Amino acid sequence: MNTNTTMQAAVLHRAGDFRMEWVPRKEPANGEVEIRLLCNGICGSDVHFYREGRLGPFVVDRPYIPGHECSGIVSSVGSGVTTVREGDRVVAEPGIPCRHCHHCLSGRYNLCTEVRFLSAPPIDGTLAEYVVVPDLWAHPFPDSLEAEVAALAEPFAVGLHAIRRGGVQLGQKVAIVGVGPIGLVTLLCALAAGAGPIIVIDTVPARLDLALRLGAAVGINAREADPVAVVHQVTNGHGADVVLETAGNSGAAALTIEVAGRGSTVVQVGWPEAANISYPLEMVIDKELMVVGSNRYAGTFPAALELLASGKVDAKQLISHRYPFSKTPEAFAMVAANPQTVIKTLILHS
Amino acid sequence: MNTNTTMQAAVLHRAGDFRMEWVPRKEPANGEVEIRLLCNGICGSDVHFYREGRLGPFVVDRPYIPGHECSGIVSSVGSGVTTVREGDRVVAEPGIPCRHCHHCLSGRYNLCTEVRFLSAPPIDGTLAEYVVVPDLWAHPFPDSLEAEVAALAEPFAVGLHAIRRGGVQLGQKVAIVGVGPIGLVTLLCALAAGAGPIIVIDTVPARLDLALRLGAAVGINAREADPVAVVHQVTNGHGADVVLETAGNSGAAALTIEVAGRGSTVVQVGWPEAANISYPLEMVIDKELMVVGSNRYAGTFPAALELLASGKVDAKQLISHRYPFSKTPEAFAMVAANPQTVIKTLILHS
Amino acid sequence: MNTNTTMQAAVLHRAGDFRMEWVPRKEPANGEVEIRLLCNGICGSDVHFYREGRLGPFVVDRPYIPGHECSGIVSSVGSGVTTVREGDRVVAEPGIPCRHCHHCLSGRYNLCTEVRFLSAPPIDGTLAEYVVVPDLWAHPFPDSLEAEVAALAEPFAVGLHAIRRGGVQLGQKVAIVGVGPIGLVTLLCALAAGAGPIIVIDTVPARLDLALRLGAAVGINAREADPVAVVHQVTNGHGADVVLETAGNSGAAALTIEVAGRGSTVVQVGWPEAANISYPLEMVIDKELMVVGSNRYAGTFPAALELLASGKVDAKQLISHRYPFSKTPEAFAMVAANPQTVIKTLILHS
Amino acid sequence: MNTNTTMQAAVLHRAGDFRMEWVPRKEPANGEVEIRLLCNGICGSDVHFYREGRLGPFVVDRPYIPGHECSGIVSSVGSGVTTVREGDRVVAEPGIPCRHCHHCLSGRYNLCTEVRFLSAPPIDGTLAEYVVVPDLWAHPFPDSLEAEVAALAEPFAVGLHAIRRGGVQLGQKVAIVGVGPIGLVTLLCALAAGAGPIIVIDTVPARLDLALRLGAAVGINAREADPVAVVHQVTNGHGADVVLETAGNSGAAALTIEVAGRGSTVVQVGWPEAANISYPLEMVIDKELMVVGSNRYAGTFPAALELLASGKVDAKQLISHRYPFSKTPEAFAMVAANPQTVIKTLILHS
């Protein structure tokens, strides 16, 4: 049993009102584990809540704790837990499904409509001293993996799931539209899978530069060149074998269809700005494309942690900023003020 | 060698100007076969050219022969032909690809950009006494299959390809949006594959009635009921496992996404009315759908003919009208005047 | 809480020693349901234990209750059960996995090495007045489905899983080697999926006759004709598109490879008589076959029950004998004495 | 038209009787190209014919030219050739299918029963000054790729096809049984696809050493350690996700099944020493494996050449010996005498 009943947490009260506070500390129940956090990454969705107080159907209507990209150490386990032990270093998978519906039973638990997602308000996230999750959602990682790299498992799970949905293979010509943090992890995953050449498309020079340093073959600034023409040229007129959209806007979504080769696959990862967008569906038929949605991940964390531990991806290059836990509000303010140059900001717990 | 050098053909000069005429009869070259036509079905695309003189990128800018749903008998073979013999009853597959590009070599020849499609102006089709095609594009059918049913092989190839693209399986709950001729053949194919219950959605009562007679479990008139609510109810809240769109309009395309179950597959067969349409792409991500285009067929004719010969589908119920070849212009005028009540009109050669 | 603490059960003490006895009745724990049995089918594995006291690694070394093909009615539910209610008619899925290993989490729970299988000694099965299972393993079925047909859900789940593993599709030419009970349900499933022609191969005339009545196109008595030659002829020299082995002997396993078409799929359902058998692996390479094992089922019961309720399969024809529950030992004696003519014997609870 | 009507070739008259001779030089017909050879690799099958005069169904019953791993330069083109031009550097794909059967039309032309394979007696191979092939079977490669590396395209096509058949993916734990030349190229392909850790199993220390240098994580000498135990340990008890057999013997084939994880895929590439072998088929069912044959390649040469040109694989390390064309018989004698230490011997044309 924990001797302390409170803990420090970063609490978002409403848009822009972010405070370090003492909050109640939960006990792990039967089948649950408590994790003492070592590191947290700041996700774009966290920043949306910070800046606008809402994202999609989720609204900050009471104080809650953001954060869902984390690594930590098991500090306490409830009864009946056999998968991990106190002292194990683990990453918490933040989307906790019902485990009873047919999606859960078939392994596609990301489709579960009862999923509780840590940091989707009003459900508290991981920007605290401790977090409690069911045992199966605490994924151990080896000593060889640094805690701050392990905290990237969540975005890498998104990237891995995306390339799996797209069936990205050795030697395929891939285009990635949007190279913010998710586009960059997707790039690293696709490179690790032997895809190439990989063409990245964005409008922010700094991101394109980083993508090229990470291994992209060609970077296209969509403000300066015609992506369709360049992809056409690089692929000898065939178009890309797989296109992944991580930009989350309607123009980018339409562009994926244009740069896709006949018979190819398009993976839509980014959520466009509106429920309905203008979309070249006719071309989907003509080229006989397969357009697949990619929604978070399912069963992907172990593979993401193995990938990070394997050294096949240089994830550290994505870490652009580091802040101590006590400065979490300051970190959010910085990220919100620099949407284009910040890649991944980490919060380090002492 | 043919002794006659001319033949009768139905020649479309321009929109609305359709005439029976004598035209040159071609000799089959090396590797080609000549087919004497027995039967032709009238396709919606033929009627588009008849009524409007154009369809998509194709324009009737000189006289040409429509028709591409046919059955016939091999009347003459060029040198080097081994797959069929004079006297064989065959169906001509109308899309003739290059056989050299990587799409052709990989078996997905419907993606070939050099395909010559019989009846796509200015290329002549099959509404004539004879047509010449490469040997591999003349598919034999057995004596047990009537020539007028065999002439339906082309639309059935479209339907079969669509259910293959959608991976339609035994016991799956299927929704078909649009039950014109292509929707109805798709319905028959899905039923033959053991899918069910199958829900059909249209706005024309006569089509819905026929679909129900053919085996659909539920018909929804989208003018009278909310398809989303009905599909929800029929599928116990899950949505359809596979949705196929054959209506070819943007509203129907958007509806497919709404009636699709989480994690399901949507097959887009019909071409929408505009290159860009309003589309609920966000829901494709949220439900993690797979949206696949279905463009004609590839390697599907033998299976379509076997299906028709097997008696597993009652294709004859689709034949609503029959005309003699000499009355081809009258048949087109009738079809053009009755877009909703005509299902499939056949032209019978004497 | 149950008022009676004992129940009648059919208890197998050792090979040949089968008795109706009073045994303790269990209470459903948290998340469990108690089912009052309505009907039980006798499986070949039950008969193996009855006749030989063992099967594979499982040995009857203490008294236990056989039976795992059942239907019943929920008689009591433990706390926290939301999926079914008292009075619901349900089928118990007999293989209960751990729900924690990566096989379970990915949906392939039939690969779980911790699975508890009802009726695999020493675990009690369903030939009793009551059985208790976790809620997710009690699958409801509709009023329109007779309890004695619902009791066939377990073998149909085996057949459905087999055709799914083989990817059996509309119009495929299928060969089934062995048409005992599992071969026959596989035949019915393949027919319902639109496969055909279906060729069945066995050495027992009565089974072949029944298979032909159920819809097989061709029956081959392997004692009287050469299966390879007949399959070759029926398939125009191509061989079968999918071959399913349910006979469970090495000769049949080798035969599957010989009758398989180039590039086709072979599903091995039956367990051969020895751990190692003589096998034509060279031909697997030459023909580039895909040989897949099919081990029970995973996530298949709902589909099996829907299939039985749909009327697409005439499962009743498989029921060859019926006995009252009190005569269970006599039923086993009869089945054991008539291995070739008995198809499916049902035990009816009053 | 060629001015010379004869050319030098390496002609195998019978087992052990190998001579450099003048033979007729063929003209490229319509649709064919003539290639002047730059480099040839010696394949194990060539050595079989050299040593034993036969391999499988193929017998050296008249003089013929071995060799089918080659690179060259287009020296002359027949009429109608548009895919390559005189002076292009190309690799000849040696298996030339009929292009008319349903296997060819569906893209799986390696299953064509009419395939003509260059160097399968009595069909001449590429160990000559010139060879003539249909245009589609002359695959261009870029200037950046050395001719001697390009000559490895054929074995790399075998390896690529094998990993595609096995669905080898990023992060999968792979075991390769047999690391002769085909095992080594398969290793390089699997590494390039991001698989790992990769465990290699063989009995020849030199091969295991090379495999480890090329990137295998663990090498098991099956004479010294128990492969099942080691694979179990390396994979945390799960077994391998994909196992590839390239050793071509029955013991290795059985071993693949033992080291395979539950639910995994086994690719059989090597041809065992007998048509029927002792095989643990029961375990294929229990583990629910997928055992796939891998027979040469289909549509794989362009990808193999791109892979070699990409620099993702260090193919040069496989080249153990080089001989001038005039010394071809001596090269064969050396290879035949050193079956374990020779990896890939190249014949260099001046």
Side-chain angles (χ1 to χ4, degrees):
Chain A
M1 190 203 269
N2 299 324
T3 47
N4 301 322
T5 57
T6 58
M7 64 175 183
Q8 275 277 301
V11 180
L12 184 65
H13 285 250
R14 69 188 67 80
D17 179 2
F18 205 12
R19 317 175 195 166
M20 297 306 294
E21 291 183 351
W22 289 97
V23 301
R25 175 177 169 191
K26 285 202 292 185
E27 291 274 342
N30 183 14
E32 290 186 333
V33 306
E34 185 200 56
I35 302 166
R36 179 167 61 80
L37 279 309
L38 294 172
C39 191
N40 263 283
I42 299 178
C43 171
S45 64
D46 293 320
V47 180
H48 268 286
F49 289 116
Y50 171 77
R51 211 161 39 197
E52 290 131 38
R54 63 182 308 150
L55 181 62
F58 298 100
V59 181
V60 183
D61 53 8
R62 75 193 85 167
Y64 89 109
I65 304 170
H68 59 267
E69 303 177 357
C70 72
S71 60
I73 193 160
V74 174
S75 45
S76 164
V77 301
S79 60
V81 170
T82 58
T83 55
V84 289
R85 283 189 295 195
E86 211 177 305
D88 281 355
R89 295 158 87 228
V90 296
V91 159
E93 179 170 347
I96 298 164
C98 79
R99 300 194 62 216
H100 275 75
C101 70
H102 78 282
H103 298 302
C104 285
L105 293 175
S106 74
R108 294 185 71 178
Y109 60 75
N110 57 329
L111 300 179
C112 173
T113 55
E114 303 297 318
V115 69
R116 290 174 50 248
F117 195 86
L118 305 186
S119 82
I123 299 169
D124 283 333
T126 59
L127 277 162
E129 280 186 276
Y130 300 95
V131 70
V132 171
V133 296
D135 54 0
L136 290 174
W137 271 254
H139 300 282
F141 60 89
D143 291 345
S144 60
L145 182 57
E146 289 177 73
E148 69 173 39
V149 177
L152 301 176
E154 203 271 349
F156 270 88
V158 172
L160 264 182
H161 187 67
I163 71 160
R164 288 178 176 182
R165 289 284 295 166
V168 172
Q169 300 287 336
L170 171 62
Q172 284 187 317
K173 293 164 187 67
V174 168
I176 299 176
V177 184
V179 277
I182 292 299
L184 291 168
V185 295
T186 302
L187 167 65
L188 287 173
C189 292
L191 284 167
I198 301 185
I199 304 161
V200 293
I201 306 170
D202 206 305
T203 56
V204 180
R207 290 177 177 176
L208 289 166
D209 288 347
L210 178 52
L212 291 168
R213 283 203 306 279
L214 291 171
V218 178
I220 307 174
N221 186 330
R223 293 239 169 81
E224 296 172 359
D226 174 13
V228 178
V230 177
V231 172
H232 190 84
Q233 183 192 352
V234 172
T235 60
N236 298 317
H238 290 306
D241 297 317
V242 183
V243 186
L244 302 113
E245 203 272 12
T246 69
N249 69 65
S250 55
L255 182 60
T256 62
I257 306 302
E258 295 185 80
V259 300
R262 296 177 75 74
S264 70
T265 300
V266 171
V267 185
Q268 185 69 32
V269 183
W271 289 61
E273 72 279 9
N276 288 279
I277 64 166
S278 176
Y279 198 64
L281 190 66
E282 183 178 281
M283 207 181 276
V284 172
I285 307 169
D286 178 39
K287 292 184 176 180
E288 210 171 58
L289 303 181
M290 186 158 77
V291 178
V292 294
S294 188
N295 190 350
R296 293 176 179 151
Y297 33 70
T300 321
F301 268 70
L305 286 165
E306 287 183 7
L307 178 64
L308 290 168
S310 74
K312 285 176 198 157
V313 292
D314 186 2
K316 274 204 144 175
Q317 291 203 51
L318 302 178
I319 305 171
S320 56
H321 300 76
R322 291 174 180 84
Y323 282 79
F325 177 48
S326 60
K327 301 286 183 197
T328 300
E330 289 82 350
F332 271 67
M334 184 282 296
V335 175
N338 298 281
Q340 297 196 339
T341 50
V342 169
I343 303 296
K344 183 56 66 185
T345 299
L346 292 187
I347 301 297
L348 306 177
H349 299 247
S350 53
Chain B
M1 190 202 270
N2 299 323
T3 48
N4 300 321
T5 57
T6 59
M7 64 175 182
Q8 276 276 300
V11 180
L12 184 65
H13 284 250
R14 70 189 65 79
D17 180 1
F18 205 12
R19 316 175 195 167
M20 299 305 295
E21 290 183 351
W22 289 98
V23 301
R25 176 178 169 189
K26 285 202 290 186
E27 291 272 344
N30 183 13
E32 290 186 332
V33 305
E34 184 199 57
I35 301 167
R36 178 166 62 79
L37 278 309
L38 294 173
C39 191
N40 263 283
I42 300 179
C43 172
S45 65
D46 292 320
V47 179
H48 267 287
F49 290 116
Y50 171 77
R51 213 162 38 197
E52 291 131 36
R54 65 181 305 148
L55 181 62
F58 298 101
V59 181
V60 184
D61 53 8
R62 74 192 86 165
Y64 88 109
I65 303 171
H68 58 267
E69 302 177 359
C70 74
S71 60
I73 193 161
V74 174
S75 45
S76 165
V77 301
S79 60
V81 171
T82 57
T83 55
V84 289
R85 284 188 294 196
E86 208 177 308
D88 282 354
R89 296 158 84 229
V90 295
V91 159
E93 179 170 345
I96 298 163
C98 79
R99 300 193 62 215
H100 275 75
C101 71
H102 78 283
H103 297 303
C104 285
L105 293 175
S106 74
R108 293 186 73 179
Y109 59 76
N110 57 327
L111 299 180
C112 172
T113 55
E114 302 298 318
V115 68
R116 292 174 47 249
F117 195 85
L118 305 185
S119 82
I123 299 168
D124 284 333
T126 59
L127 277 162
E129 280 186 278
Y130 300 94
V131 70
V132 170
V133 296
D135 52 0
L136 289 175
W137 272 255
H139 299 282
F141 60 90
D143 291 345
S144 60
L145 182 58
E146 290 178 71
E148 70 174 38
V149 177
L152 301 175
E154 204 271 348
F156 269 88
V158 172
L160 265 182
H161 187 66
I163 71 160
R164 288 179 175 182
R165 291 283 293 165
V168 173
Q169 300 287 336
L170 172 62
Q172 284 185 318
K173 293 165 188 65
V174 168
I176 300 177
V177 185
V179 277
I182 292 300
L184 291 169
V185 297
T186 303
L187 168 64
L188 288 172
C189 292
L191 284 168
I198 302 186
I199 303 161
V200 293
I201 305 169
D202 205 305
T203 56
V204 181
R207 290 176 176 177
L208 289 166
D209 289 346
L210 178 53
L212 291 169
R213 283 202 307 280
L214 291 172
V218 178
I220 306 174
N221 187 328
R223 294 238 169 83
E224 296 171 358
D226 174 12
V228 178
V230 177
V231 171
H232 190 83
Q233 182 190 354
V234 173
T235 58
N236 298 318
H238 290 306
D241 297 317
V242 183
V243 186
L244 302 115
E245 203 272 13
T246 69
N249 69 66
S250 55
L255 182 59
T256 62
I257 305 304
E258 295 186 80
V259 299
R262 296 178 75 76
S264 70
T265 301
V266 172
V267 185
Q268 186 68 34
V269 184
W271 289 60
E273 72 278 10
N276 289 279
I277 65 166
S278 175
Y279 197 65
L281 190 67
E282 183 179 282
M283 206 182 278
V284 171
I285 306 168
D286 177 40
K287 293 185 176 179
E288 210 172 60
L289 303 181
M290 185 159 77
V291 178
V292 294
S294 187
N295 190 349
R296 289 176 183 153
Y297 32 71
T300 321
F301 269 69
L305 286 164
E306 287 183 7
L307 178 64
L308 291 168
S310 74
K312 283 176 201 156
V313 292
D314 186 2
K316 274 205 142 174
Q317 290 203 53
L318 302 178
I319 304 172
S320 55
H321 300 76
R322 291 175 179 84
Y323 281 79
F325 177 47
S326 60
K327 300 287 184 194
T328 300
E330 288 83 350
F332 270 67
M334 185 281 297
V335 175
N338 298 280
Q340 298 196 340
T341 51
V342 169
I343 303 297
K344 184 53 67 182
T345 298
L346 292 188
I347 301 297
L348 306 177
H349 300 245
S350 53
Chain C
M1 193 203 268
N2 298 324
T3 48
N4 302 321
T5 57
T6 60
M7 64 175 181
Q8 276 275 300
V11 180
L12 184 65
H13 285 251
R14 71 190 62 81
D17 180 2
F18 205 13
R19 317 175 196 166
M20 298 305 294
E21 290 183 352
W22 290 98
V23 301
R25 176 178 169 189
K26 286 202 291 186
E27 291 272 343
N30 183 14
E32 290 185 333
V33 305
E34 184 199 57
I35 302 167
R36 178 167 62 79
L37 279 308
L38 294 172
C39 191
N40 263 283
I42 300 179
C43 172
S45 65
D46 293 319
V47 180
H48 267 286
F49 289 116
Y50 170 78
R51 214 163 37 198
E52 290 131 36
R54 64 180 306 148
L55 181 63
F58 298 100
V59 181
V60 183
D61 53 9
R62 74 192 86 165
Y64 90 109
I65 304 171
H68 59 268
E69 303 177 357
C70 73
S71 59
I73 192 159
V74 175
S75 45
S76 165
V77 301
S79 61
V81 171
T82 57
T83 56
V84 289
R85 284 190 291 195
E86 208 177 307
D88 282 355
R89 297 157 84 228
V90 295
V91 160
E93 179 170 347
I96 299 163
C98 79
R99 301 192 63 215
H100 275 74
C101 72
H102 78 283
H103 298 302
C104 285
L105 292 175
S106 74
R108 293 186 74 180
Y109 60 75
N110 56 329
L111 300 179
C112 173
T113 55
E114 303 297 319
V115 70
R116 291 175 50 248
F117 195 85
L118 305 185
S119 82
I123 299 169
D124 284 330
T126 59
L127 277 162
E129 282 186 274
Y130 300 94
V131 70
V132 170
V133 297
D135 54 358
L136 290 174
W137 270 255
H139 299 282
F141 60 89
D143 292 343
S144 60
L145 182 58
E146 290 177 71
E148 70 174 40
V149 178
L152 301 175
E154 203 272 348
F156 270 89
V158 173
L160 264 182
H161 187 66
I163 71 161
R164 287 179 177 181
R165 290 284 294 165
V168 171
Q169 299 288 335
L170 171 62
Q172 282 187 318
K173 292 165 188 66
V174 168
I176 299 176
V177 185
V179 276
I182 292 300
L184 291 169
V185 296
T186 303
L187 168 64
L188 288 173
C189 292
L191 284 168
I198 301 185
I199 303 162
V200 293
I201 305 171
D202 205 307
T203 57
V204 180
R207 289 176 176 175
L208 289 166
D209 288 347
L210 179 53
L212 291 169
R213 282 203 306 279
L214 291 172
V218 178
I220 307 174
N221 187 329
R223 294 237 168 85
E224 296 172 357
D226 175 11
V228 178
V230 177
V231 171
H232 190 83
Q233 183 191 352
V234 173
T235 59
N236 299 317
H238 290 306
D241 297 317
V242 183
V243 187
L244 301 115
E245 204 272 11
T246 69
N249 69 67
S250 55
L255 182 59
T256 60
I257 306 303
E258 295 186 79
V259 301
R262 296 177 76 75
S264 70
T265 300
V266 172
V267 184
Q268 186 68 33
V269 184
W271 289 60
E273 71 279 9
N276 288 279
I277 65 167
S278 175
Y279 199 65
L281 190 66
E282 183 179 283
M283 206 181 277
V284 172
I285 307 168
D286 178 39
K287 292 184 176 180
E288 210 171 60
L289 303 181
M290 185 159 78
V291 178
V292 294
S294 187
N295 191 351
R296 290 178 182 151
Y297 33 70
T300 322
F301 269 68
L305 286 165
E306 286 183 7
L307 178 63
L308 291 168
S310 74
K312 283 176 199 156
V313 292
D314 186 2
K316 275 205 143 176
Q317 290 202 51
L318 301 179
I319 304 172
S320 55
H321 301 75
R322 290 175 180 83
Y323 282 78
F325 176 48
S326 60
K327 301 287 184 195
T328 300
E330 288 83 348
F332 271 67
M334 185 281 298
V335 175
N338 298 280
Q340 297 195 341
T341 51
V342 169
I343 302 298
K344 184 53 69 183
T345 299
L346 292 189
I347 301 297
L348 306 178
H349 299 246
S350 53
Chain D
M1 191 202 271
N2 298 324
T3 47
N4 300 323
T5 58
T6 59
M7 64 175 183
Q8 276 276 300
V11 180
L12 183 64
H13 285 249
R14 69 188 66 80
D17 180 0
F18 205 12
R19 317 176 196 164
M20 298 305 294
E21 291 183 350
W22 289 98
V23 301
R25 174 179 170 191
K26 285 203 292 186
E27 290 273 344
N30 183 13
E32 290 186 333
V33 307
E34 186 199 57
I35 301 167
R36 178 166 62 79
L37 278 309
L38 293 173
C39 191
N40 263 283
I42 299 179
C43 173
S45 64
D46 293 320
V47 180
H48 267 286
F49 288 116
Y50 171 77
R51 213 162 37 195
E52 291 131 37
R54 63 180 308 149
L55 181 62
F58 298 100
V59 181
V60 183
D61 54 8
R62 76 193 83 166
Y64 90 108
I65 303 170
H68 59 267
E69 301 177 358
C70 73
S71 60
I73 193 161
V74 174
S75 46
S76 164
V77 301
S79 61
V81 171
T82 57
T83 54
V84 290
R85 285 189 292 195
E86 211 178 304
D88 282 354
R89 296 159 84 228
V90 294
V91 160
E93 179 169 346
I96 298 164
C98 80
R99 300 193 62 216
H100 275 74
C101 70
H102 78 282
H103 297 302
C104 286
L105 292 175
S106 73
R108 293 186 72 180
Y109 60 76
N110 56 329
L111 300 179
C112 173
T113 56
E114 304 296 319
V115 68
R116 290 174 51 247
F117 195 85
L118 305 186
S119 81
I123 299 169
D124 284 333
T126 59
L127 277 162
E129 280 187 276
Y130 299 95
V131 69
V132 171
V133 296
D135 53 0
L136 289 175
W137 272 255
H139 299 282
F141 60 90
D143 291 345
S144 59
L145 182 59
E146 289 178 70
E148 71 174 37
V149 177
L152 301 176
E154 203 273 346
F156 269 88
V158 172
L160 263 183
H161 187 66
I163 70 159
R164 288 178 175 183
R165 290 284 293 166
V168 172
Q169 299 288 334
L170 171 62
Q172 282 187 317
K173 294 164 186 66
V174 168
I176 300 176
V177 184
V179 277
I182 292 300
L184 291 168
V185 295
T186 303
L187 168 64
L188 288 173
C189 291
L191 284 168
I198 301 185
I199 304 160
V200 293
I201 306 170
D202 205 305
T203 56
V204 180
R207 289 176 177 177
L208 288 165
D209 290 346
L210 179 52
L212 290 168
R213 284 202 305 280
L214 291 171
V218 178
I220 307 173
N221 186 329
R223 294 237 169 83
E224 297 171 359
D226 174 12
V228 177
V230 177
V231 171
H232 190 84
Q233 183 192 352
V234 173
T235 59
N236 297 318
H238 290 306
D241 297 318
V242 183
V243 187
L244 302 114
E245 203 272 12
T246 69
N249 69 67
S250 54
L255 182 59
T256 60
I257 305 301
E258 296 186 78
V259 300
R262 296 177 76 73
S264 70
T265 300
V266 172
V267 185
Q268 185 67 35
V269 183
W271 289 60
E273 71 279 9
N276 288 280
I277 65 165
S278 175
Y279 198 66
L281 189 66
E282 183 178 282
M283 207 181 278
V284 172
I285 307 169
D286 178 39
K287 292 184 176 178
E288 211 172 58
L289 304 180
M290 186 159 78
V291 178
V292 295
S294 187
N295 191 350
R296 291 177 180 150
Y297 33 70
T300 321
F301 268 69
L305 287 164
E306 286 183 8
L307 178 64
L308 291 168
S310 74
K312 285 177 200 157
V313 293
D314 186 2
K316 275 205 143 175
Q317 290 203 52
L318 302 179
I319 305 171
S320 56
H321 301 77
R322 291 177 180 82
Y323 281 79
F325 177 47
S326 60
K327 300 286 184 198
T328 299
E330 288 82 349
F332 270 67
M334 185 283 295
V335 175
N338 299 281
Q340 297 196 341
T341 50
V342 169
I343 303 296
K344 184 55 69 184
T345 299
L346 292 188
I347 301 297
L348 306 177
H349 299 248
S350 54

